[in-house]
Amino acid sequence: MIKLNMFGRGLRLQIAITIACQLAFVLFGYDQGVFGGIVNNDDWLNTFGHPGAGLEGIIVSIYNLGAFSGCILTFLFGEKFGRRLCMWVAMGWIIVGAILQCTSYSVPQIMIARYITGIGTGIETSTVPMYQSELCDADKRGRLVSSEPLFVGVGIVISYFFDYGMSYVGGPVAWRVPIACQMIFAFVVIILVFGLPESPRWLYYHDRQEEAMQVMCDVWDCEPDGEKVSKMHVEIMEALHLERKHGEYRWSQLFKRDEVQTGRRVLLAYGMQFMNQVGGINLVVYFVPTALHDNVGLSQNLALVIGGCVQTMFFFGSLIPTFFLDRLGRRNPMMWGSAGLAVSMMLIAVLLSFQRPGYSETLAKATSSASVAFFFTYMFIFGASANCIPWVYVPEILPLHARSKGTAIGISSNWLWNFVIVMITPTILSHLKWKAYLIFMCTNAAFIPLVYFCYPETSNLTLEEVDHLFTSEGQSGVHALKGPTKPVKESLKLDVEKTAGSSIEHVEAPEDVKNEKFA
Protein backbone atom coordinates (compact mmCIF):
# COMPACT_ATOMS: atom_id res chain seq x y z
CA MET A 1 0.00 0.00 0.00
CA ILE A 2 1.32 3.47 -0.94
CA LYS A 3 2.74 5.62 1.87
CA LEU A 4 3.11 9.38 1.49
CA ASN A 5 5.46 11.42 3.67
CA MET A 6 2.69 13.69 4.95
CA PHE A 7 3.66 14.07 8.61
CA GLY A 8 7.46 13.96 8.79
CA ARG A 9 9.10 12.40 11.86
CA GLY A 10 8.84 12.38 15.61
CA LEU A 11 6.06 14.11 17.51
CA ARG A 12 4.11 15.20 14.41
CA LEU A 13 3.96 11.62 13.18
CA GLN A 14 2.97 10.31 16.63
CA ILE A 15 0.15 12.87 16.80
CA ALA A 16 -1.05 11.91 13.30
CA ILE A 17 -1.16 8.21 14.30
CA THR A 18 -3.17 9.04 17.43
CA ILE A 19 -5.59 11.35 15.60
CA ALA A 20 -6.27 8.75 12.88
CA CYS A 21 -7.00 6.08 15.53
CA GLN A 22 -9.20 8.44 17.52
CA LEU A 23 -11.18 9.52 14.45
CA ALA A 24 -11.75 5.87 13.56
CA PHE A 25 -13.30 5.42 17.00
CA VAL A 26 -15.37 8.61 16.69
CA LEU A 27 -16.83 6.90 13.62
CA PHE A 28 -17.35 3.72 15.67
CA GLY A 29 -19.27 5.68 18.33
CA TYR A 30 -21.26 7.63 15.75
CA ASP A 31 -22.32 4.38 14.06
CA GLN A 32 -23.40 2.92 17.41
CA GLY A 33 -25.34 5.96 18.56
CA VAL A 34 -26.96 7.22 15.37
CA PHE A 35 -29.75 4.64 15.34
CA GLY A 36 -30.70 5.30 18.97
CA GLY A 37 -32.14 8.68 18.00
CA ILE A 38 -33.98 7.67 14.83
CA VAL A 39 -35.76 4.37 15.63
CA ASN A 40 -38.69 6.39 17.02
CA ASN A 41 -38.68 8.92 14.15
CA ASP A 42 -42.13 9.00 12.51
CA ASP A 43 -40.84 8.94 8.92
CA TRP A 44 -38.43 6.09 9.74
CA LEU A 45 -41.28 4.09 11.29
CA ASN A 46 -43.56 4.75 8.32
CA THR A 47 -40.84 3.81 5.82
CA PHE A 48 -40.14 0.46 7.48
CA GLY A 49 -43.70 -0.44 8.46
CA HIS A 50 -43.62 0.29 12.21
CA PRO A 51 -41.51 -2.77 13.21
CA GLY A 52 -42.35 -4.46 16.50
CA ALA A 53 -39.88 -4.83 19.39
CA GLY A 54 -38.43 -8.09 18.03
CA LEU A 55 -37.91 -6.85 14.48
CA GLU A 56 -36.57 -3.53 15.72
CA GLY A 57 -34.02 -5.40 17.82
CA ILE A 58 -32.90 -7.40 14.76
CA ILE A 59 -32.63 -4.28 12.54
CA VAL A 60 -30.48 -2.52 15.10
CA SER A 61 -28.41 -5.53 16.21
CA ILE A 62 -27.59 -6.93 12.75
CA TYR A 63 -24.97 -4.19 12.60
CA ASN A 64 -23.19 -5.98 15.43
CA LEU A 65 -23.48 -9.31 13.63
CA GLY A 66 -21.77 -7.64 10.65
CA ALA A 67 -19.04 -6.39 12.97
CA PHE A 68 -18.57 -9.95 14.24
CA SER A 69 -18.15 -11.04 10.60
CA GLY A 70 -15.60 -8.24 10.15
CA CYS A 71 -13.60 -9.70 13.04
CA ILE A 72 -13.63 -13.10 11.31
CA LEU A 73 -12.30 -11.47 8.12
CA THR A 74 -9.56 -9.82 10.17
CA PHE A 75 -8.74 -13.20 11.71
CA LEU A 76 -8.40 -14.75 8.26
CA PHE A 77 -6.66 -11.95 6.37
CA GLY A 78 -5.51 -9.32 8.88
CA GLU A 79 -2.04 -10.72 9.43
CA LYS A 80 -1.48 -10.97 5.69
CA PHE A 81 -2.75 -7.48 4.86
CA GLY A 82 -1.07 -5.56 7.68
CA ARG A 83 -2.52 -2.88 9.95
CA ARG A 84 -2.72 0.05 7.50
CA LEU A 85 -4.43 -1.82 4.68
CA CYS A 86 -6.96 -3.29 7.12
CA MET A 87 -7.87 0.22 8.30
CA TRP A 88 -8.28 1.41 4.70
CA VAL A 89 -10.43 -1.60 3.73
CA ALA A 90 -12.58 -1.08 6.85
CA MET A 91 -13.39 2.49 5.81
CA GLY A 92 -14.38 1.23 2.35
CA TRP A 93 -16.93 -1.21 3.82
CA ILE A 94 -18.34 1.55 6.06
CA ILE A 95 -18.77 3.99 3.16
CA VAL A 96 -20.59 1.40 1.03
CA GLY A 97 -22.83 0.46 3.97
CA ALA A 98 -23.62 4.11 4.76
CA ILE A 99 -24.66 4.77 1.15
CA LEU A 100 -26.97 1.76 1.20
CA GLN A 101 -28.43 2.70 4.60
CA CYS A 102 -29.30 6.27 3.71
CA THR A 103 -30.98 5.13 0.48
CA SER A 104 -33.01 2.32 2.08
CA TYR A 105 -36.75 1.96 1.55
CA SER A 106 -37.38 -1.57 2.87
CA VAL A 107 -36.53 -3.69 5.88
CA PRO A 108 -34.32 -6.18 3.94
CA GLN A 109 -32.33 -3.32 2.41
CA ILE A 110 -31.71 -1.54 5.72
CA MET A 111 -30.69 -4.84 7.32
CA ILE A 112 -28.20 -5.69 4.55
CA ALA A 113 -26.86 -2.12 4.63
CA ARG A 114 -26.32 -2.20 8.39
CA TYR A 115 -24.67 -5.62 8.11
CA ILE A 116 -22.20 -4.24 5.52
CA THR A 117 -21.45 -1.19 7.68
CA GLY A 118 -20.86 -3.54 10.60
CA ILE A 119 -18.27 -5.53 8.64
CA GLY A 120 -16.19 -2.37 8.27
CA THR A 121 -16.57 -1.54 11.95
CA GLY A 122 -15.49 -5.06 12.93
CA ILE A 123 -12.32 -4.81 10.84
CA GLU A 124 -11.65 -1.32 12.19
CA THR A 125 -12.09 -2.22 15.85
CA SER A 126 -9.96 -5.36 15.47
CA THR A 127 -7.11 -3.35 13.97
CA VAL A 128 -6.96 0.18 15.37
CA PRO A 129 -6.23 -0.53 19.10
CA MET A 130 -3.58 -3.07 18.07
CA TYR A 131 -2.00 -0.58 15.65
CA GLN A 132 -1.91 2.18 18.29
CA SER A 133 -0.50 -0.12 20.99
CA GLU A 134 2.32 -1.22 18.68
CA LEU A 135 3.34 2.37 17.91
CA CYS A 136 3.55 3.99 21.35
CA ASP A 137 5.71 3.90 24.49
CA ALA A 138 4.85 1.42 27.24
CA ASP A 139 4.28 4.19 29.81
CA LYS A 140 1.82 5.95 27.48
CA ARG A 141 0.08 2.93 25.97
CA GLY A 142 -2.78 2.84 28.48
CA ARG A 143 -3.60 6.52 28.03
CA LEU A 144 -3.32 6.54 24.25
CA VAL A 145 -5.28 3.36 23.57
CA SER A 146 -7.92 4.26 26.18
CA SER A 147 -8.36 7.63 24.46
CA GLU A 148 -9.91 5.70 21.56
CA PRO A 149 -12.94 4.49 23.55
CA LEU A 150 -13.11 8.05 24.92
CA PHE A 151 -13.75 9.18 21.35
CA VAL A 152 -16.41 6.48 21.02
CA GLY A 153 -18.23 8.62 23.56
CA VAL A 154 -17.60 11.71 21.43
CA GLY A 155 -19.13 9.95 18.42
CA ILE A 156 -22.16 8.79 20.42
CA VAL A 157 -22.81 12.29 21.78
CA ILE A 158 -22.45 13.86 18.31
CA SER A 159 -24.90 11.36 16.82
CA TYR A 160 -27.48 11.74 19.60
CA PHE A 161 -27.63 15.52 19.49
CA PHE A 162 -27.42 15.57 15.69
CA ASP A 163 -30.40 13.19 15.63
CA TYR A 164 -32.21 15.42 18.09
CA GLY A 165 -31.58 18.56 16.03
CA MET A 166 -32.60 16.86 12.79
CA SER A 167 -35.82 15.62 14.39
CA TYR A 168 -37.15 19.18 14.08
CA VAL A 169 -36.54 19.11 10.31
CA GLY A 170 -38.98 16.27 9.78
CA GLY A 171 -39.42 13.98 6.80
CA PRO A 172 -36.84 11.52 5.46
CA VAL A 173 -34.04 14.08 5.78
CA ALA A 174 -34.31 13.80 9.58
CA TRP A 175 -32.85 10.28 9.56
CA ARG A 176 -31.16 9.86 6.16
CA VAL A 177 -28.74 12.77 6.60
CA PRO A 178 -27.42 11.64 10.05
CA ILE A 179 -26.75 8.17 8.63
CA ALA A 180 -24.99 9.59 5.56
CA CYS A 181 -22.72 11.86 7.64
CA GLN A 182 -20.72 8.92 8.97
CA MET A 183 -18.97 8.89 5.58
CA ILE A 184 -17.25 12.18 6.45
CA PHE A 185 -15.24 10.53 9.23
CA ALA A 186 -14.43 7.53 7.01
CA PHE A 187 -13.01 9.68 4.20
CA VAL A 188 -10.82 11.63 6.64
CA VAL A 189 -9.39 8.38 8.06
CA ILE A 190 -8.69 7.09 4.53
CA ILE A 191 -6.67 10.23 3.74
CA LEU A 192 -4.73 10.07 7.01
CA VAL A 193 -3.82 6.39 6.61
CA PHE A 194 -1.90 7.13 3.41
CA GLY A 195 0.56 9.17 5.50
CA LEU A 196 0.97 6.70 8.37
CA PRO A 197 3.66 4.00 8.76
CA GLU A 198 3.06 0.27 9.07
CA SER A 199 3.44 -1.29 12.51
CA PRO A 200 7.12 -2.14 13.15
CA ARG A 201 6.10 -5.29 15.05
CA TRP A 202 4.18 -6.52 12.02
CA LEU A 203 7.16 -5.76 9.80
CA TYR A 204 9.54 -7.64 12.12
CA TYR A 205 7.21 -10.62 12.19
CA HIS A 206 7.26 -10.69 8.38
CA ASP A 207 11.09 -10.44 8.29
CA ARG A 208 11.14 -6.86 6.98
CA GLN A 209 13.63 -5.67 9.57
CA GLU A 210 15.07 -2.73 7.64
CA GLU A 211 11.61 -1.24 7.08
CA ALA A 212 10.71 -1.84 10.73
CA MET A 213 13.88 -0.10 11.90
CA GLN A 214 13.13 2.87 9.64
CA VAL A 215 9.58 3.13 11.00
CA MET A 216 10.86 3.16 14.59
CA CYS A 217 13.44 5.80 13.69
CA ASP A 218 10.73 7.95 12.07
CA VAL A 219 8.19 7.57 14.87
CA TRP A 220 10.63 8.27 17.70
CA ASP A 221 12.84 10.65 15.68
CA CYS A 222 15.92 8.62 16.54
CA GLU A 223 18.88 7.06 14.74
CA PRO A 224 19.19 3.25 14.41
CA ASP A 225 21.83 3.17 17.15
CA GLY A 226 19.77 5.35 19.48
CA GLU A 227 18.86 3.95 22.89
CA LYS A 228 15.10 3.64 22.39
CA VAL A 229 15.28 2.06 18.92
CA SER A 230 18.08 -0.30 19.94
CA LYS A 231 16.21 -1.46 23.03
CA MET A 232 12.99 -2.05 21.06
CA HIS A 233 14.91 -3.97 18.40
CA VAL A 234 16.41 -6.27 21.03
CA GLU A 235 13.10 -6.85 22.84
CA ILE A 236 11.13 -7.58 19.67
CA MET A 237 13.78 -10.01 18.39
CA GLU A 238 13.85 -11.75 21.78
CA ALA A 239 10.06 -12.02 21.84
CA LEU A 240 10.04 -13.54 18.36
CA HIS A 241 12.77 -15.98 19.44
CA LEU A 242 10.73 -17.02 22.48
CA GLU A 243 7.47 -17.30 20.54
CA ARG A 244 9.04 -19.24 17.63
CA LYS A 245 11.09 -21.55 19.81
CA HIS A 246 9.23 -24.59 18.52
CA GLY A 247 8.95 -23.56 14.90
CA GLU A 248 6.82 -21.22 12.83
CA TYR A 249 3.45 -20.50 14.43
CA ARG A 250 0.25 -21.68 12.75
CA TRP A 251 -3.26 -20.43 13.48
CA SER A 252 -4.39 -23.99 14.26
CA GLN A 253 -2.13 -23.80 17.35
CA LEU A 254 -3.95 -20.76 18.71
CA PHE A 255 -5.46 -22.51 21.73
CA LYS A 256 -2.66 -25.00 22.39
CA ARG A 257 -0.51 -24.74 25.50
CA ASP A 258 2.92 -23.32 24.68
CA GLU A 259 5.76 -21.61 26.50
CA VAL A 260 4.04 -18.20 26.54
CA GLN A 261 0.51 -19.60 27.19
CA THR A 262 -0.98 -18.27 23.96
CA GLY A 263 -4.28 -20.12 24.38
CA ARG A 264 -4.87 -18.77 27.87
CA ARG A 265 -4.09 -15.23 26.72
CA VAL A 266 -6.54 -15.46 23.80
CA LEU A 267 -9.24 -16.59 26.25
CA LEU A 268 -8.38 -13.67 28.57
CA ALA A 269 -8.76 -11.29 25.62
CA TYR A 270 -12.12 -12.84 24.72
CA GLY A 271 -13.31 -12.63 28.32
CA MET A 272 -12.30 -9.00 28.73
CA GLN A 273 -14.45 -7.91 25.77
CA PHE A 274 -17.24 -10.19 27.03
CA MET A 275 -17.24 -8.10 30.22
CA ASN A 276 -17.34 -4.93 28.13
CA GLN A 277 -20.71 -5.93 26.65
CA VAL A 278 -22.60 -8.19 29.05
CA GLY A 279 -22.71 -5.54 31.76
CA GLY A 280 -25.59 -3.89 29.89
CA ILE A 281 -23.92 -0.92 28.23
CA ASN A 282 -25.88 -1.20 24.99
CA LEU A 283 -29.17 -1.04 26.82
CA VAL A 284 -28.06 2.53 27.60
CA VAL A 285 -26.26 3.37 24.32
CA TYR A 286 -28.93 2.13 21.91
CA PHE A 287 -32.14 2.20 23.92
CA VAL A 288 -31.90 4.78 26.70
CA PRO A 289 -34.56 7.01 25.03
CA THR A 290 -36.83 3.96 24.80
CA ALA A 291 -36.10 3.00 28.42
CA LEU A 292 -36.73 6.56 29.64
CA HIS A 293 -39.97 6.75 27.68
CA ASP A 294 -41.38 3.25 28.37
CA ASN A 295 -39.94 2.41 31.81
CA VAL A 296 -39.51 5.84 33.43
CA GLY A 297 -42.52 7.46 31.76
CA LEU A 298 -40.91 10.57 30.25
CA SER A 299 -42.28 12.24 27.13
CA GLN A 300 -40.62 11.32 23.83
CA ASN A 301 -38.96 14.73 23.46
CA LEU A 302 -37.67 14.81 27.05
CA ALA A 303 -36.43 11.21 26.73
CA LEU A 304 -34.35 12.20 23.67
CA VAL A 305 -32.84 15.22 25.46
CA ILE A 306 -31.99 13.34 28.65
CA GLY A 307 -30.75 10.36 26.61
CA GLY A 308 -28.28 12.66 24.88
CA CYS A 309 -27.17 14.07 28.24
CA VAL A 310 -26.66 10.54 29.57
CA GLN A 311 -24.31 9.85 26.65
CA THR A 312 -22.12 12.81 27.65
CA MET A 313 -21.28 10.98 30.88
CA PHE A 314 -19.67 8.28 28.73
CA PHE A 315 -17.24 10.94 27.51
CA PHE A 316 -16.57 12.52 30.92
CA GLY A 317 -16.02 9.13 32.54
CA SER A 318 -13.58 8.13 29.80
CA LEU A 319 -11.40 11.15 30.63
CA ILE A 320 -10.22 9.38 33.79
CA PRO A 321 -8.46 6.42 32.10
CA THR A 322 -7.33 8.66 29.24
CA PHE A 323 -5.21 10.66 31.69
CA PHE A 324 -4.60 8.26 34.58
CA LEU A 325 -4.87 4.63 33.40
CA ASP A 326 -1.10 4.05 33.40
CA ARG A 327 -1.04 5.11 37.07
CA LEU A 328 -4.21 3.30 38.11
CA GLY A 329 -3.39 0.02 36.37
CA ARG A 330 -5.86 -2.30 34.69
CA ARG A 331 -7.15 -4.66 37.39
CA ASN A 332 -8.31 -2.29 40.15
CA PRO A 333 -10.32 0.11 37.95
CA MET A 334 -11.99 -2.89 36.30
CA MET A 335 -13.02 -4.39 39.65
CA TRP A 336 -14.19 -1.14 41.24
CA GLY A 337 -15.96 -0.21 38.00
CA SER A 338 -17.85 -3.51 37.90
CA ALA A 339 -18.97 -2.95 41.48
CA GLY A 340 -20.21 0.56 40.64
CA LEU A 341 -22.06 -0.68 37.55
CA ALA A 342 -23.76 -3.43 39.57
CA VAL A 343 -24.93 -0.93 42.20
CA SER A 344 -26.25 1.48 39.54
CA MET A 345 -28.27 -1.27 37.84
CA MET A 346 -29.59 -2.48 41.20
CA LEU A 347 -30.78 1.00 42.17
CA ILE A 348 -32.45 1.54 38.77
CA ALA A 349 -34.34 -1.74 39.26
CA VAL A 350 -35.32 -0.91 42.84
CA LEU A 351 -36.58 2.57 42.01
CA LEU A 352 -38.53 1.43 38.94
CA SER A 353 -40.10 -1.44 40.88
CA PHE A 354 -42.45 1.02 42.63
CA GLN A 355 -44.42 1.27 39.38
CA ARG A 356 -46.06 -2.06 40.24
CA PRO A 357 -49.71 -2.13 41.33
CA GLY A 358 -50.10 -1.39 45.03
CA TYR A 359 -48.02 1.77 45.13
CA SER A 360 -49.41 5.28 44.77
CA GLU A 361 -48.98 7.17 41.52
CA THR A 362 -47.12 9.94 43.35
CA LEU A 363 -44.56 7.48 44.78
CA ALA A 364 -44.17 5.70 41.44
CA LYS A 365 -43.52 8.99 39.65
CA ALA A 366 -41.03 10.19 42.27
CA THR A 367 -39.02 6.96 42.34
CA SER A 368 -38.99 6.55 38.55
CA SER A 369 -37.71 10.13 38.22
CA ALA A 370 -34.99 9.37 40.78
CA SER A 371 -33.90 6.33 38.75
CA VAL A 372 -32.75 8.65 35.95
CA ALA A 373 -29.78 9.70 38.14
CA PHE A 374 -28.44 6.15 38.08
CA PHE A 375 -28.45 6.00 34.29
CA PHE A 376 -26.01 8.91 34.58
CA THR A 377 -23.85 7.17 37.22
CA TYR A 378 -23.87 3.96 35.20
CA MET A 379 -22.65 5.72 32.08
CA PHE A 380 -19.97 7.69 33.96
CA ILE A 381 -18.61 4.59 35.74
CA PHE A 382 -18.65 2.56 32.54
CA GLY A 383 -16.69 5.28 30.75
CA ALA A 384 -14.13 5.29 33.56
CA SER A 385 -13.66 1.51 33.64
CA ALA A 386 -15.19 -1.15 31.39
CA ASN A 387 -15.35 1.18 28.38
CA CYS A 388 -11.62 1.82 27.97
CA ILE A 389 -9.75 -0.96 29.75
CA PRO A 390 -10.79 -3.93 27.53
CA TRP A 391 -9.69 -2.06 24.38
CA VAL A 392 -6.28 -1.45 25.98
CA TYR A 393 -5.96 -4.90 27.49
CA VAL A 394 -6.78 -7.08 24.48
CA PRO A 395 -3.86 -6.13 22.18
CA GLU A 396 -1.33 -5.81 25.01
CA ILE A 397 -2.08 -9.20 26.61
CA LEU A 398 -1.48 -11.11 23.35
CA PRO A 399 1.90 -12.34 22.04
CA LEU A 400 3.16 -10.90 18.75
CA HIS A 401 2.73 -14.12 16.76
CA ALA A 402 -0.96 -14.27 17.70
CA ARG A 403 -1.72 -10.58 18.13
CA SER A 404 -3.64 -10.06 14.90
CA LYS A 405 -5.70 -13.26 15.13
CA GLY A 406 -6.05 -13.04 18.90
CA THR A 407 -7.21 -9.43 18.75
CA ALA A 408 -9.76 -10.40 16.11
CA ILE A 409 -11.04 -13.16 18.42
CA GLY A 410 -11.12 -10.80 21.41
CA ILE A 411 -12.97 -8.05 19.55
CA SER A 412 -15.33 -10.62 18.02
CA SER A 413 -16.48 -11.29 21.58
CA ASN A 414 -17.45 -7.63 21.85
CA TRP A 415 -19.54 -7.76 18.70
CA LEU A 416 -21.09 -11.18 19.23
CA TRP A 417 -22.35 -10.27 22.70
CA ASN A 418 -23.19 -6.77 21.51
CA PHE A 419 -25.47 -8.42 18.95
CA VAL A 420 -27.07 -10.65 21.58
CA ILE A 421 -27.70 -7.83 24.06
CA VAL A 422 -29.03 -5.37 21.47
CA MET A 423 -31.33 -8.01 19.96
CA ILE A 424 -32.90 -9.03 23.27
CA THR A 425 -33.04 -5.59 24.93
CA PRO A 426 -36.29 -4.28 23.34
CA THR A 427 -38.03 -7.53 24.30
CA ILE A 428 -36.80 -7.71 27.90
CA LEU A 429 -37.51 -4.02 28.50
CA SER A 430 -41.02 -4.51 27.14
CA HIS A 431 -41.79 -7.70 29.10
CA LEU A 432 -39.59 -7.67 32.22
CA LYS A 433 -39.52 -3.89 32.75
CA TRP A 434 -37.65 -3.14 36.02
CA LYS A 435 -36.53 -6.78 36.42
CA ALA A 436 -34.43 -6.50 33.23
CA TYR A 437 -31.93 -4.33 35.09
CA LEU A 438 -31.37 -7.05 37.71
CA ILE A 439 -29.87 -9.28 35.00
CA PHE A 440 -27.10 -6.75 34.41
CA MET A 441 -26.65 -6.17 38.14
CA CYS A 442 -25.75 -9.87 38.48
CA THR A 443 -23.41 -9.97 35.49
CA ASN A 444 -21.45 -6.93 36.69
CA ALA A 445 -21.15 -8.37 40.21
CA ALA A 446 -19.80 -11.63 38.77
CA PHE A 447 -16.98 -9.82 36.95
CA ILE A 448 -15.28 -8.72 40.19
CA PRO A 449 -13.94 -12.16 41.25
CA LEU A 450 -13.30 -13.04 37.60
CA VAL A 451 -10.88 -10.13 37.20
CA TYR A 452 -9.27 -10.72 40.59
CA PHE A 453 -8.48 -14.39 40.05
CA CYS A 454 -7.78 -14.53 36.31
CA TYR A 455 -6.32 -11.26 34.98
CA PRO A 456 -2.71 -10.14 35.54
CA GLU A 457 -1.64 -6.49 35.72
CA THR A 458 0.01 -5.29 32.49
CA SER A 459 0.37 -1.53 32.94
CA ASN A 460 3.75 0.11 32.21
CA LEU A 461 5.20 -3.07 30.69
CA THR A 462 6.38 -3.22 27.09
CA LEU A 463 4.47 -5.62 24.86
CA GLU A 464 7.49 -7.92 24.94
CA GLU A 465 7.72 -7.83 28.76
CA VAL A 466 4.08 -8.96 28.96
CA ASP A 467 5.23 -12.26 27.40
CA HIS A 468 7.26 -12.97 30.54
CA LEU A 469 4.20 -12.66 32.77
CA PHE A 470 3.18 -16.03 31.36
CA THR A 471 6.46 -17.93 31.32
CA SER A 472 7.29 -20.73 33.76
CA GLU A 473 10.07 -18.60 35.29
CA GLY A 474 7.53 -16.44 37.09
CA GLN A 475 5.43 -17.14 40.13
CA SER A 476 2.28 -19.22 39.88
CA GLY A 477 -1.11 -18.74 41.44
CA VAL A 478 -3.05 -15.65 42.44
CA HIS A 479 0.03 -13.83 43.80
CA ALA A 480 1.53 -13.75 40.32
CA LEU A 481 -1.34 -11.53 39.18
CA LYS A 482 -0.35 -8.64 41.41
CA GLY A 483 3.03 -7.79 39.92
CA PRO A 484 5.68 -8.55 37.30
CA THR A 485 7.42 -11.91 37.21
CA LYS A 486 11.15 -12.39 37.62
CA PRO A 487 12.09 -11.90 33.93
CA VAL A 488 10.07 -8.69 33.78
CA LYS A 489 11.73 -7.40 36.93
CA GLU A 490 15.12 -8.10 35.35
CA SER A 491 14.09 -6.20 32.22
CA LEU A 492 12.87 -3.25 34.26
CA LYS A 493 16.09 -3.36 36.28
CA LEU A 494 18.06 -3.02 33.04
CA ASP A 495 16.01 0.10 32.23
CA VAL A 496 16.91 1.65 35.58
CA GLU A 497 20.59 0.85 35.07
CA LYS A 498 20.60 2.47 31.62
CA THR A 499 18.82 5.53 33.01
CA ALA A 500 21.47 5.79 35.70
CA GLY A 501 24.20 5.94 33.07
CA SER A 502 24.96 2.44 31.83
CA SER A 503 26.30 2.32 28.26
CA ILE A 504 24.07 1.80 25.27
CA GLU A 505 26.36 -0.99 24.06
CA HIS A 506 24.64 -3.24 26.58
CA VAL A 507 21.43 -2.85 24.60
CA GLU A 508 23.13 -3.52 21.30
CA ALA A 509 24.17 -7.03 22.32
CA PRO A 510 21.03 -9.07 21.88
CA GLU A 511 22.77 -12.42 22.20
CA ASP A 512 24.12 -11.47 25.63
CA VAL A 513 20.71 -10.41 26.81
CA LYS A 514 19.12 -13.51 25.32
CA ASN A 515 21.55 -15.79 27.12
CA GLU A 516 20.85 -14.00 30.38
CA LYS A 517 17.06 -14.19 30.04
CA PHE A 518 16.70 -17.66 28.64
CA ALA A 519 19.28 -19.29 30.88
Side-chain angles (χ1 to χ4, degrees), residues 41-60:
N41 178 277
D42 289 337
D43 187 83
W44 188 89
L45 291 170
N46 291 332
T47 301
F48 299 105
H50 292 267
L55 182 57
E56 178 187 320
I58 294 173
I59 292 172
V60 175

Side-chain angles (χ1 to χ4, degrees), residues 31-89:
D31 283 348
Q32 277 202 301
V34 72
F35 247 65
I38 67 175
V39 290
N40 291 320
N41 178 277
D42 289 337
D43 187 83
W44 188 89
L45 291 170
N46 291 332
T47 301
F48 299 105
H50 292 267
L55 182 57
E56 178 187 320
I58 294 173
I59 292 172
V60 175
S61 64
I62 199 168
Y63 166 82
N64 305 305
L65 194 60
F68 176 76
S69 303
C71 292
I72 294 174
L73 290 176
T74 306
F75 178 88
L76 296 173
F77 304 109
E79 191 59 44
K80 179 180 179 180
F81 286 179
R83 318 306 190 222
R84 292 174 66 240
L85 184 56
C86 280
M87 290 170 66
W88 191 87
V89 169

Side-chain angles (χ1 to χ4, degrees), residues 92-115:
W93 279 99
I94 289 171
I95 290 168
V96 171
I99 292 171
L100 292 175
Q101 279 189 74
C102 68
T103 57
S104 292
Y105 285 92
S106 66
V107 170
Q109 186 179 355
I110 192 72
M111 290 175 66
I112 292 170
R114 283 186 60 74
Y115 182 82

Side-chain angles (χ1 to χ4, degrees), residues 195-229:
L196 302 182
E198 185 53 85
S199 162
R201 266 99 175 180
W202 183 84
L203 292 169
Y204 269 112
Y205 186 73
H206 290 269
D207 298 320
R208 294 160 62 176
Q209 295 186 21
E210 291 184 6
E211 291 179 62
M213 184 70 74
Q214 185 60 54
V215 168
M216 292 191 296
C217 292
D218 289 342
V219 172
W220 283 280
D221 195 13
C222 182
E223 296 305 316
D225 58 351
E227 181 174 356
K228 181 182 286 291
V229 171

Side-chain angles (χ1 to χ4, degrees), residues 170-381:
V173 173
W175 62 271
R176 295 187 189 274
V177 169
I179 290 175
C181 283
Q182 62 191 286
M183 290 186 286
I184 296 172
F185 299 106
F187 279 118
V188 173
V189 173
I190 285 174
I191 293 169
L192 289 175
V193 166
F194 279 110
L196 302 182
E198 185 53 85
S199 162
R201 266 99 175 180
W202 183 84
L203 292 169
Y204 269 112
Y205 186 73
H206 290 269
D207 298 320
R208 294 160 62 176
Q209 295 186 21
E210 291 184 6
E211 291 179 62
M213 184 70 74
Q214 185 60 54
V215 168
M216 292 191 296
C217 292
D218 289 342
V219 172
W220 283 280
D221 195 13
C222 182
E223 296 305 316
D225 58 351
E227 181 174 356
K228 181 182 286 291
V229 171
S230 299
K231 180 176 183 294
M232 288 183 65
H233 171 75
V234 171
E235 289 183 341
I236 293 171
M237 294 302 293
E238 287 179 6
L240 285 172
H241 172 78
L242 178 63
E243 293 168 7
R244 290 174 168 174
K245 213 169 187 181
H246 302 291
E248 191 67 28
Y249 196 80
R250 297 187 301 275
W251 71 265
S252 58
Q253 299 173 299
L254 201 61
F255 291 101
K256 289 186 177 180
R257 182 182 294 274
D258 56 21
E259 192 164 346
V260 291
Q261 299 188 52
T262 300
R264 176 189 169 194
R265 294 160 74 175
V266 171
L267 290 175
L268 289 176
Y270 187 93
M272 185 59 81
Q273 286 290 355
F274 172 85
M275 288 185 273
N276 176 273
Q277 287 300 315
V278 183
I281 179 57
N282 281 309
L283 181 155
V284 185
V285 170
Y286 283 97
F287 297 108
V288 70
T290 302
L292 293 173
H293 180 261
D294 295 346
N295 296 152
V296 179
L298 302 181
S299 68
Q300 185 65 43
N301 188 64
L302 185 58
L304 280 172
V305 173
I306 293 181
C309 293
V310 168
Q311 306 308 321
T312 65
M313 302 308 293
F314 190 102
F315 171 80
F316 290 121
S318 298
L319 289 173
I320 294 173
T322 298
F323 290 105
F324 301 110
L325 187 60
D326 290 308
R327 297 184 193 176
L328 298 173
R330 316 292 192 250
R331 282 162 44 83
N332 288 336
M334 210 44 204
M335 289 187 287
W336 285 109
S338 296
L341 296 175
V343 170
S344 295
M345 282 294 185
M346 178 187 71
L347 291 173
I348 291 172
V350 169
L351 291 168
L352 290 179
S353 69
F354 288 97
Q355 293 183 340
R356 292 176 293 169
Y359 296 100
S360 68
E361 185 178 341
T362 303
L363 178 62
K365 186 175 181 180
T367 53
S368 63
S369 298
S371 71
V372 174
F374 296 100
F375 284 99
F376 281 85
T377 61
Y378 178 92
M379 206 58 161
F380 181 84
I381 295 168

